[in-house]
PDB file of all heavy atoms in Angstrom:
ATOM      1  N   ASP A1691       4.343  -1.722 -25.536  1.00 80.00           N
ATOM      2  CA  ASP A1691       4.609  -0.745 -24.587  1.00 80.00           C
ATOM      3  C   ASP A1691       3.657   0.442 -24.739  1.00 80.00           C
ATOM      4  O   ASP A1691       3.240   1.004 -23.682  1.00 80.00           O
ATOM      5  CB  ASP A1691       6.076  -0.215 -24.755  1.00 80.00           C
ATOM      6  CG  ASP A1691       6.527   0.662 -23.698  1.00 80.00           C
ATOM      7  OD1 ASP A1691       5.889   0.669 -22.629  1.00 80.00           O
ATOM      8  OD2 ASP A1691       7.657   1.190 -23.891  1.00 80.00           O
ATOM      9  N   GLY A1707       4.909   5.329 -24.397  1.00 55.00           N
ATOM     10  CA  GLY A1707       5.755   4.243 -24.237  1.00 55.00           C
ATOM     11  C   GLY A1707       7.005   4.582 -23.424  1.00 55.00           C
ATOM     12  O   GLY A1707       7.420   5.655 -23.348  1.00 55.00           O
ATOM     13  N   ARG A1708       7.602   3.465 -22.811  1.00 54.00           N
ATOM     14  CA  ARG A1708       8.792   3.664 -22.010  1.00 54.00           C
ATOM     15  C   ARG A1708       9.677   2.373 -22.161  1.00 54.00           C
ATOM     16  O   ARG A1708       9.075   1.359 -22.201  1.00 54.00           O
ATOM     17  CB  ARG A1708       8.561   3.970 -20.537  1.00 54.00           C
ATOM     18  CG  ARG A1708       7.959   5.425 -20.385  1.00 54.00           C
ATOM     19  CD  ARG A1708       7.962   5.648 -18.838  1.00 54.00           C
ATOM     20  NE  ARG A1708       9.287   5.579 -18.307  1.00 54.00           N
ATOM     21  CZ  ARG A1708       9.561   5.755 -16.950  1.00 54.00           C
ATOM     22  NH1 ARG A1708       8.549   5.960 -16.081  1.00 54.00           N
ATOM     23  NH2 ARG A1708      10.764   5.741 -16.486  1.00 54.00           N
ATOM     24  N   ASP A1709      10.916   2.559 -22.218  1.00 56.00           N
ATOM     25  CA  ASP A1709      11.802   1.400 -22.187  1.00 56.00           C
ATOM     26  C   ASP A1709      11.646   0.613 -20.940  1.00 56.00           C
ATOM     27  O   ASP A1709      11.811   1.237 -19.770  1.00 56.00           O
ATOM     28  CB  ASP A1709      13.241   1.928 -22.294  1.00 56.00           C
ATOM     29  CG  ASP A1709      14.226   0.712 -22.483  1.00 56.00           C
ATOM     30  OD1 ASP A1709      13.857  -0.357 -22.166  1.00 56.00           O
ATOM     31  OD2 ASP A1709      15.393   0.970 -22.902  1.00 56.00           O
ATOM     32  N   PHE A1710      11.358  -0.654 -21.021  1.00 48.00           N
ATOM     33  CA  PHE A1710      11.086  -1.424 -19.757  1.00 48.00           C
ATOM     34  C   PHE A1710      12.281  -1.469 -18.750  1.00 48.00           C
ATOM     35  O   PHE A1710      12.076  -1.542 -17.599  1.00 48.00           O
ATOM     36  CB  PHE A1710      10.731  -2.885 -20.152  1.00 48.00           C
ATOM     37  CG  PHE A1710       9.480  -3.072 -20.856  1.00 48.00           C
ATOM     38  CD1 PHE A1710       9.293  -3.934 -21.899  1.00 48.00           C
ATOM     39  CD2 PHE A1710       8.347  -2.354 -20.407  1.00 48.00           C
ATOM     40  CE1 PHE A1710       8.169  -4.201 -22.519  1.00 48.00           C
ATOM     41  CE2 PHE A1710       7.160  -2.515 -21.144  1.00 48.00           C
ATOM     42  CZ  PHE A1710       6.985  -3.436 -22.189  1.00 48.00           C
ATOM     43  N   GLN A1712      13.911   0.842 -17.730  1.00 50.00           N
ATOM     44  CA  GLN A1712      14.000   2.098 -16.906  1.00 50.00           C
ATOM     45  C   GLN A1712      12.773   2.052 -15.874  1.00 50.00           C
ATOM     46  O   GLN A1712      12.676   3.070 -15.191  1.00 50.00           O
ATOM     47  CB  GLN A1712      13.907   3.368 -17.824  1.00 50.00           C
ATOM     48  CG  GLN A1712      15.123   3.395 -18.764  1.00 50.00           C
ATOM     49  CD  GLN A1712      15.000   4.605 -19.703  1.00 50.00           C
ATOM     50  OE1 GLN A1712      14.028   5.297 -19.697  1.00 50.00           O
ATOM     51  NE2 GLN A1712      15.979   4.709 -20.567  1.00 50.00           N
ATOM     52  N   TRP A1713      11.978   1.131 -15.899  1.00 60.00           N
ATOM     53  CA  TRP A1713      10.806   1.113 -15.047  1.00 60.00           C
ATOM     54  C   TRP A1713      11.114   0.927 -13.589  1.00 60.00           C
ATOM     55  O   TRP A1713      11.927   0.070 -13.252  1.00 60.00           O
ATOM     56  CB  TRP A1713       9.855   0.075 -15.484  1.00 60.00           C
ATOM     57  CG  TRP A1713       9.025   0.457 -16.820  1.00 60.00           C
ATOM     58  CD1 TRP A1713       9.649   0.864 -17.954  1.00 60.00           C
ATOM     59  CD2 TRP A1713       7.668   0.524 -17.005  1.00 60.00           C
ATOM     60  NE1 TRP A1713       8.681   1.192 -18.887  1.00 60.00           N
ATOM     61  CE2 TRP A1713       7.482   0.932 -18.330  1.00 60.00           C
ATOM     62  CE3 TRP A1713       6.592   0.138 -16.318  1.00 60.00           C
ATOM     63  CZ2 TRP A1713       6.247   0.965 -18.879  1.00 60.00           C
ATOM     64  CZ3 TRP A1713       5.277   0.261 -16.790  1.00 60.00           C
ATOM     65  CH2 TRP A1713       5.055   0.728 -18.145  1.00 60.00           C
ATOM     66  N   ASP A1717       6.183   1.739 -11.603  1.00 79.00           N
ATOM     67  CA  ASP A1717       5.971   1.578 -13.069  1.00 79.00           C
ATOM     68  C   ASP A1717       5.644   0.113 -13.349  1.00 79.00           C
ATOM     69  O   ASP A1717       4.799  -0.260 -14.146  1.00 79.00           O
ATOM     70  CB  ASP A1717       7.163   1.887 -13.917  1.00 79.00           C
ATOM     71  CG  ASP A1717       7.459   3.434 -13.767  1.00 79.00           C
ATOM     72  OD1 ASP A1717       6.444   4.209 -13.508  1.00 79.00           O
ATOM     73  OD2 ASP A1717       8.510   3.813 -14.003  1.00 79.00           O
TER      74      ASP A1717
END
Side-chain angles (χ1 to χ4, degrees):
D1691 192 11
R1708 289 189 59 184
D1709 185 345
F1710 289 142
Q1712 299 175 0
W1713 285 51
D1717 294 335

